[in-house]
Amino acid sequence: GESVGLHLPTLSVQEGDNSIINCAYSNSASDYFIWYKQESGKGPQFIIDIRSNMDKRQGQRVTVLLNKTVKHLSLQIAATQPGDSAVYFCAENIYSGAGSYQLTFGKGTKLSVIP
Amino acid sequence: EAGVTQFPSHSVIEKGQTVTLRCDPISGHDNLYWYRRVMGKEIKFLLHFVKESKQDESGMPNNRFLAERTGGTYSTLKVQPAELEDSGVYFCASSQLLLGYSTDTQYFGPGTRLTVL
């Protein structure tokens, strides 16, 4: 797969347990953050986002926490299922000038769910 | 609603040849982005179109890469001539909201895997 050669942090969890994936971001001026899920052979899929004026946001089985003090994001997945196995990326939307924003991605974390 | 589509899904070419990748954004999305992930690296921004105009091309690696979006619909990314280091996965994304908003969600296509031999 495309991750060959890219040594990703790996998280293995038992099916039904909760997963926590962490991410550090770089730009203290970033005001919008997104978590993406990428399955093998597919593009990044939007999971959940959060603005910098929030510190927590919940979706269906997922929660994102934002700690601006230490520039840290986490993604919590409740009751992890085999279908959650994928690589998870955090991304920050950074202003690049001329009215344009671009996503800056983290390295990604590979989540493996053990049935 | 159809998502972002990309063609081809996989391309294998010889060094020095030309390859053209295509992206069809979600209908109605004015913003179109190209990203790529080369071996061992993170996904990196290449450029951003607003309709048919290049808004930001700061991530384009060199002048061997040419992106177009004639008519403001689909976009092409041409690599000419291709080099070995161009191998990777090229993603396209599109978003709907107006320029200048930091919170427009970008939706990604499945990517084109480019292999340069």
Side-chain angles (χ1 to χ4, degrees), chain A residues 21 33-35 47-51 54-59 61-67 72-77 90:
Chain A
I21 300 171
F33 305 87
I34 313 101
W35 280 98
I47 302 175
I48 191 167
D49 58 2
I50 189 167
R51 299 183 187 185
M54 306 169 70
D55 53 20
K56 180 179 180 179
R57 190 163 189 225
Q58 288 185 292
R61 284 202 306 119
V62 293
T63 301
V64 55
L65 300 177
L66 173 62
N67 185 330
H72 183 269
L73 275 167
S74 68
L75 176 71
Q76 300 178 0
I77 304 174
C90 66

Side-chain angles (χ1 to χ4, degrees), chain B:
Chain B
E1 178 186 284
V4 177
T5 58
Q6 293 185 244
F7 182 84
S9 59
H10 195 176
S11 179
V12 181
I13 60 172
E14 300 280 337
K15 175 183 172 182
Q17 291 185 322
T18 298
V19 63
T20 300
L21 314 181
R22 172 171 170 146
C23 168
D24 287 78
I26 294 172
S27 178
H29 281 193
D30 288 337
N31 294 309
L32 187 149
Y33 306 81
W34 283 97
Y35 292 83
R36 76 171 181 176
R37 184 174 182 180
V38 297
M39 191 72 75
K41 305 282 188 175
E42 298 94 340
I43 299 172
K44 295 285 191 185
F45 168 85
L46 294 178
L47 87 159
H48 169 207
F49 282 100
V50 177
K51 298 185 180 180
E52 67 275 8
S53 300
K54 292 176 185 174
Q55 189 68 29
D56 179 0
E57 50 185 333
S58 61
M60 295 288 264
N62 51 62
N63 59 9
R64 296 186 292 105
F65 290 76
L66 175 64
E68 295 180 320
R69 193 183 181 195
T70 307
T73 53
Y74 71 91
S75 174
T76 57
L77 179 65
K78 181 191 289 188
V79 185
Q80 179 182 28
E83 298 290 343
L84 298 178
E85 64 264 25
D86 300 332
S87 295
V89 182
Y90 289 76
F91 294 105
C92 175
S94 69
S95 69
Q96 185 176 31
L97 291 182
L98 292 175
L99 185 67
Y101 282 76
S102 66
T103 58
D104 59 341
T105 300
Q106 296 183 30
Y107 296 92
F108 282 75
T112 294
R113 180 185 297 277
L114 174 63
T115 303
V116 182
L117 302 176

